Amino acid sequence: MRLTHPHTPSVGPAPEAPPPRLAPPLPRPFLRPRHCASPASSSARTESNKAPPPLAGPAPYTRMIDSPPSRPWRRPSPPQLFPPLRPRPPVPPPPPPGRDSRPWRPTEPPPPPSFSSSAPSVRPGPPPGETQSPPAPPGERLLRALLSRYRPGVRPAAAGPGGRVLVRVGLELAQLVSLDEKHEELTTKVYLDLSWRDPRLQWDPRTHGGVGVLRVPAEHLWLPDLGLENNNDGEFGVSLGVRAIVTPDGSVRWRPPALYRSRCPIRVSHFPFDWQNCSLVFRSGSYGPEELGLRLAGGDPQGGGAQAVLPADFQENGQWELCHRSGRHHTGPSHEDVTFYLVIRRKPLFYIVNVLVPCVLITLLAVVVFYLPPDAGEKMTLSLFALLTLTVFLLLLADKVPATSLAVPLIGRYLTGTLVLLTLCVILSVGVLNLHHRSPRHPHHAPLGPQAPPAAPAPPPGAAVPPG
């Protein structure tokens, strides 16, 4: 259909009409919700939504208007205050234990072998930025090889009869710390000297760089579970797990230090001129005599002849002197132990100066009481002073000696006898004073024995004497 303007002449062929231009869409009116719209506004909106009336007269051009479809009203979404969060990248899982935590890198394939004798083969070097670690020393490689299949919880299989492991036990006495007579406890600082043979720790020095000695941490080796049997505080083991010395033939030597508090029965019969016999008994807690054998280091096969070693820097005790330190091996039907006997003697100088000499002087002072005249007035005071002083010394001695009823110490018997004599001195002093004050020279005190009737007063001179 061709549309022409009414004033355009129709002579000749009519030119082609230009393409129709679309009018911009009309602005959309504001629509209220239905529950908020009033009847007046509803009617007005209905009338506004109607199609406009046609133009009067012929229009120069035809306008194609596309009315937008009516859509329900929606509440506008609030503005975003913060930008949306971006998801974090996933965390890679940790590498399994025993593997390298560095990222994997593809390694270059080795170069093809060269068959020419003139060109030497070149090995690929480390990647750029990385240094090649130096080779491990022979001792470290040997230690890794020995401990790769070693199990510390398994007893080594010995070559002896029945597979019994023979352990040699020695003792080095570093210090005699103290002896508590009240609680019967001996405190010593020692070094245990244990040696045995483990066939799993053998190697040939010629094939391992000439390594002749290895020092292995004690927690990586099998150790004999020897403990102090007569301990007094519940500590059976050693104080520090030092390294063990291993030789190529499989011999192991372990010297751990220990601070032991052992039980020591005290004999108080000759106190303070006494001596004590304290022992250290070592026994295995897990193995019997058929699995673990004990021997004295440096002793004879019969179980004797060995002694505890005293180092050059042995520290003497100010109260006790070490007289004997022998060792003995004991074997029973169900147990086997090694015992070291420490015989110590007390140094009595302290008790002689601070206890015995004052007691002797107090006893002599009590004897001097009888030479004091009764008229001095201090006879009883001196006797009671000597008695009380000796009682104080006896209480101090009772605090030093253990509370036992098996025997009475020698110094205790001496102080008890002296206390009895001083008690007699006080009683005799009371009797002497009583006799002194009952003499005829003091008429205001009645004499001893039956009293005579009082005599009649004498008559004055010149008075007549009554008859008869």
Side-chain angles (χ1 to χ4, degrees), residues 318-331:
Q319 188 177 358
W320 298 91
E321 178 185 1
L322 184 62
C323 300
H324 195 61
R325 56 182 192 280
S326 63
R328 193 72 183 177
H329 172 248
H330 301 93
T331 304

Side-chain angles (χ1 to χ4, degrees), residues 29-32 34 37-38 40-50:
F30 177 77
L31 300 180
R32 293 186 179 182
R34 294 182 180 180
S38 60
S41 61
S42 299
S43 61
R45 184 174 65 252
T46 306
E47 300 227 350
S48 64
N49 290 338
K50 292 181 181 180

Side-chain angles (χ1 to χ4, degrees), residues 29-332:
F30 177 77
L31 300 180
R32 293 186 179 182
R34 294 182 180 180
H35 64 277
C36 297
S38 60
S41 61
S42 299
S43 61
R45 184 174 65 252
T46 306
E47 300 227 350
S48 64
N49 290 338
K50 292 181 181 180
L55 297 175
Y61 296 101
T62 303
R63 300 181 67 183
M64 301 179 64
I65 300 174
D66 187 10
S67 61
S70 61
R71 282 178 282 183
W73 178 86
R74 295 180 182 179
R75 186 182 298 274
S77 60
Q80 294 184 1
L81 300 179
F82 301 98
L85 298 178
R86 298 180 180 179
R88 295 183 179 181
V91 180
R99 296 186 179 180
D100 195 357
S101 59
R102 294 178 297 180
W104 177 81
R105 294 181 179 178
T107 57
E108 298 180 359
S114 177
F115 297 98
S116 61
S117 59
S118 59
S121 61
V122 179
R123 298 181 60 185
E130 295 186 5
T131 58
Q132 187 176 6
S133 59
E140 183 177 351
R141 296 197 303 268
L142 175 60
L143 184 60
R144 291 179 180 177
L146 291 178
L147 300 181
S148 59
R149 298 182 179 180
Y150 190 89
R151 298 180 61 185
V154 179
R155 183 175 60 93
R164 191 171 75 153
V165 181
L166 187 63
V167 179
R168 298 189 177 275
V169 184
L171 184 70
E172 181 178 338
L173 186 61
Q175 183 182 2
L176 184 64
V177 181
S178 64
L179 177 62
D180 189 358
E181 297 96 343
K182 192 71 176 179
H183 300 91
E184 299 184 353
E185 180 181 282
L186 175 67
T187 305
T188 52
K189 178 184 176 182
V190 301
Y191 287 89
L192 279 178
D193 191 357
L194 306 178
S195 58
W196 66 94
R197 186 173 177 272
D198 196 338
R200 298 174 292 179
L201 300 176
Q202 297 180 356
W203 74 90
D204 188 4
R206 295 174 296 179
T207 59
H208 292 86
V211 178
V213 175
L214 279 180
R215 288 171 175 83
V216 187
E219 58 268 14
H220 298 316
L221 299 179
W222 176 87
L223 302 174
D225 55 343
L226 290 182
L228 185 64
E229 185 69 20
N230 59 335
N231 71 86
N232 210 27
D233 59 347
E235 293 292 337
F236 293 86
V238 298
S239 302
L240 179 64
V242 297
R243 294 176 178 265
I245 300 176
V246 185
T247 53
D249 59 347
S251 300
V252 184
R253 187 181 181 185
W254 190 41
R255 297 182 69 255
L259 184 66
Y260 288 133
R261 292 178 175 87
S262 58
R263 184 179 179 275
C264 180
I266 303 297
R267 298 177 177 87
V268 296
S269 301
H270 302 280
F271 179 86
F273 305 97
D274 58 336
W275 54 270
Q276 307 297 333
N277 187 3
C278 302
S279 58
L280 302 176
V281 183
F282 295 96
R283 183 184 301 177
S284 174
S286 303
Y287 302 101
E290 65 278 357
E291 298 174 339
L292 185 66
L294 300 179
R295 292 292 183 272
L296 280 171
D300 52 10
Q302 285 74 21
Q307 291 186 358
V309 181
L310 292 181
D313 56 347
F314 176 73
Q315 301 180 14
E316 294 282 347
N317 189 271
Q319 188 177 358
W320 298 91
E321 178 185 1
L322 184 62
C323 300
H324 195 61
R325 56 182 192 280
S326 63
R328 193 72 183 177
H329 172 248
H330 301 93
T331 304

